[in-house]
Amino acid sequence: MSQPVIFCDFDGTVTEKDNIIAIMNEFAPDGWEEQKEGVLNRTISIREGVGKMFSLLPVSLKDEIIEFAIKNARIRPGFQEFLDFAAEEGIPVYIVSGGIDFFIEPIINSFGPLAGVFCNGSDFSGETIKIEWPNSCDDQCSNDCGCCKPSIMRKLEHDGIKKIVIGDSVTDLEAAKQADMVFARDYLKDKCEEWKIPYTPFGTFHDCVEALKIQTGVRG
Ligand SMILES: [Mg+2]
Ligand SMILES: [Zn+2]
């Protein structure tokens, strides 16, 4: 049987809500919502929109923003149990996120094991927060994703792996299109319906474990 590999989103998936939206609601001056709308209706790229949103925030707010992000983030139930199950089954779990390192790392630190965390970077050396893009699109993607999930999957994939994608949003759709199995909620679920991509709906990570037990032939 092929080796399953899990590519799991962070914002709105591992955490119950989107951390970028929460941070912007709390700290950003007027103007960020315009960027958000642009991203959602696809008139600007994710990379451009997210970059501009964070450029509205002075670097002096760094500690305050991190503290807020940690306090505000609620982890979706069953996440650690899900990681324990994957570890027992020898299934690597990668976090693949369009979020930013400075809030993801302190939140995810207490969970594991993880095979890796792919997300955007940040530079606090200027006056406002500058986002860095170490995982931008390869030559097969022209969406200007920022953190390009399909590109990361192509980089990590090799013969015989079964790609499992878990997500909730617009950035997960392209990844879902090239997955062998999809767990979807919220916007991604609607998009899977629209694109006729087979998916398993989930509310908690316990749901994912149950479905994986059946799919991978493991009985709990
Ligand atoms: Mg998400
Ligand atoms: Zn891309």
Side-chain angles (χ1 to χ4, degrees):
M1 203 181 71
S2 51
Q3 164 71 45
V5 177
I6 295 172
F7 300 92
C8 183
D9 174 50
F10 186 75
D11 284 77
T13 300
V14 173
T15 59
E16 293 200 333
K17 298 222 170 87
D18 188 289
N19 298 288
I20 293 181
I21 303 282
I23 289 169
M24 290 301 150
N25 269 326
E26 182 77 8
F27 294 99
D30 298 343
W32 80 271
E33 278 175 319
E34 213 175 290
Q35 304 301 328
K36 180 183 81 173
E37 290 310 316
V39 169
L40 290 180
N41 63 33
R42 294 178 171 234
T43 51
I44 56 171
S45 72
I46 296 172
R47 172 172 158 129
E48 185 185 350
V50 171
K52 281 192 178 156
M53 281 183 213
F54 279 94
S55 74
L56 299 169
L57 297 172
V59 294
S60 57
L61 285 174
K62 181 181 180 180
D63 292 342
E64 223 178 305
I65 293 173
I66 293 173
E67 200 181 316
F68 168 79
I70 296 170
K71 233 177 14 201
N72 179 68
R74 288 226 318 273
I75 302 295
R76 188 169 301 281
F79 182 57
Q80 183 55 56
E81 292 88 338
F82 161 77
L83 294 179
D84 292 339
F85 168 78
E88 278 164 31
E89 297 302 319
I91 305 173
V93 179
Y94 291 95
I95 299 295
V96 183
S97 167
I100 322 296
D101 59 356
F102 72 87
F103 68 78
I104 293 179
E105 281 161 12
I107 297 172
I108 202 91
N109 258 343
S110 39
F111 299 92
L114 292 166
V117 177
F118 293 89
C119 62
N120 298 313
S122 49
D123 175 356
F124 289 85
S125 65
E127 283 190 5
T128 62
I129 301 175
K130 189 169 165 248
I131 304 303
E132 294 178 330
W133 315 96
N135 304 295
S136 44
C137 304
D138 64 16
D139 57 8
Q140 293 181 61
C141 181
S142 55
N143 288 333
D144 200 20
C145 300
C147 179
C148 184
K149 299 187 184 194
S151 299
I152 291 166
M153 286 167 71
R154 277 192 284 274
K155 209 157 56 182
L156 292 172
E157 80 187 9
H158 51 81
D159 287 348
I161 76 164
K162 176 179 170 158
K163 289 164 281 181
I164 301 170
V165 165
I166 307 177
D168 74 306
S169 187
V170 57
T171 60
D172 303 303
L173 178 61
E174 296 304 315
K177 284 180 191 168
Q178 48 170 278
D180 300 297
M181 182 180 185
V182 177
F183 288 96
R185 53 176 300 278
D186 203 43
Y187 177 95
L188 180 63
K189 189 171 158 231
D190 300 341
K191 285 288 155 184
C192 285
E193 296 276 354
E194 195 182 312
W195 284 81
K196 308 256 183 291
I197 300 168
Y199 70 94
T200 304
F202 74 102
T204 70
F205 280 97
H206 299 298
D207 302 336
C208 301
V209 170
E210 288 314 309
L212 283 170
K213 279 181 183 169
I214 295 163
Q215 287 282 330
T216 58
V218 179
R219 310 283 158 184

